[in-house]
Amino acid sequence: SWSVDTDVVMSKAILEQNVPGIEVTYFIFSYDAYNDQRLKELKEKGYLGSRSGKKMYDDDRGVNTDFTDFDPFHNCYFDAYMSKAEQDEIDALPEDERYTTSIYNDDNDDVEIQHVDSAIATGGWSIQEMHSVADTGPWGWGHISVAKYRALLDYVKEKVDAGVLWMAGPTAVIKYIMIKNQCGEPAVTNNILSFSSADAVDPKYATPISVVITTTGNPAAITGQQNRTTLQARKIGKNSFILDVNPTSGDIALTLHK
């Protein structure tokens, strides 16, 4: 049975006491057993979001792609990992007991890789559920072997290093989505970068976002001064830079370096 004191408050305290440096602000409901009252209680306890939305079984991509009016308590869609061996066992059950776990084709036993590729292809947010990483039992439903998990992490690192993928925890992603939705469009006037609605941002979502800066010339570097902090832009091509900046921290004075 649900108890906000046990399921939310106590679990958060235990995790934060035993994992140094973390703040628990994202919740996953067991068996997806959520309702409006439970979501209300999560918000009252300072949570920023939860995995309480539907699985992506009716979607052909399995990733979150529409961030318009994004609700972090309802729109964190996900796909559940299942190995081919486990899915084959389910498929062998009587017809009325069968079910499909992942939306991806498991013929090659690589649904975890397909999920990453879909996120890259669509520019979306991929949430993939796994229940345990183990080579020997007892293990949870939807477990993945240590070797396959290591191979998945190697594949993810390869894509991150190539600059085509960002991997982060759900709290970081939610903050990024929400502040981008709230801060308005960035604009540069007289070398001052500002955001049209920065004052409207809810402080709990304050986090740096990436802004692409295009120049008419081809400077060697761009730096930004935000209050007393100096920011260094990354050059991504001729006339193009990326600057990571927190819109809630004020305007940024840009300097182009030859």
Side-chain angles (χ1 to χ4, degrees), residues 91-231:
D91 292 342
L93 294 172
E95 186 172 356
D96 60 348
E97 297 180 23
R98 298 173 196 167
Y99 59 91
T100 301
T101 304
S102 174
I103 65 165
Y104 297 105
N105 187 310
D106 68 353
D107 289 348
N108 295 321
D109 200 17
D110 65 347
V111 296
E112 73 282 3
I113 300 297
Q114 294 179 58
H115 202 65
V116 175
D117 289 343
S118 290
I120 295 171
T122 61
W125 178 21
S126 161
I127 304 176
Q128 187 167 203
E129 175 188 69
M130 296 174 179
H131 287 78
S132 64
V133 181
D135 287 329
T136 58
W139 45 52
W141 173 91
H143 78 281
I144 187 170
S145 71
V146 174
K148 279 181 70 66
Y149 191 64
R150 284 176 174 163
L152 172 62
L153 294 181
D154 287 342
Y155 187 75
V156 168
K157 183 178 185 302
E158 174 188 324
K159 299 303 180 183
V160 170
D161 291 345
V164 297
L165 180 69
W166 175 42
M167 183 175 183
T171 292
V173 179
I174 286 171
K175 285 184 174 182
Y176 196 99
I177 293 170
M178 297 303 289
I179 195 171
K180 282 200 70 176
N181 283 350
Q182 295 178 3
C183 70
E185 291 297 321
V188 176
T189 303
N190 297 326
N191 285 355
I192 301 295
L193 171 62
S194 61
F195 295 82
S196 60
S197 304
D199 293 341
V201 173
D202 188 325
K204 67 175 175 282
Y205 298 126
T207 193
I209 63 174
S210 298
V211 178
V212 176
I213 300 174
T214 303
T215 64
T216 54
N218 187 25
I222 294 179
T223 55
Q225 193 69 31
Q226 189 176 38
N227 298 320
R228 297 183 179 181
T229 302
T230 300
L231 308 172

Side-chain angles (χ1 to χ4, degrees), residues 218-222 232 235 241 256-258:
N218 187 25
I222 294 179
Q232 181 69 53
K235 191 164 188 174
F241 296 79
L256 280 64
H257 304 271
K258 296 182 179 180

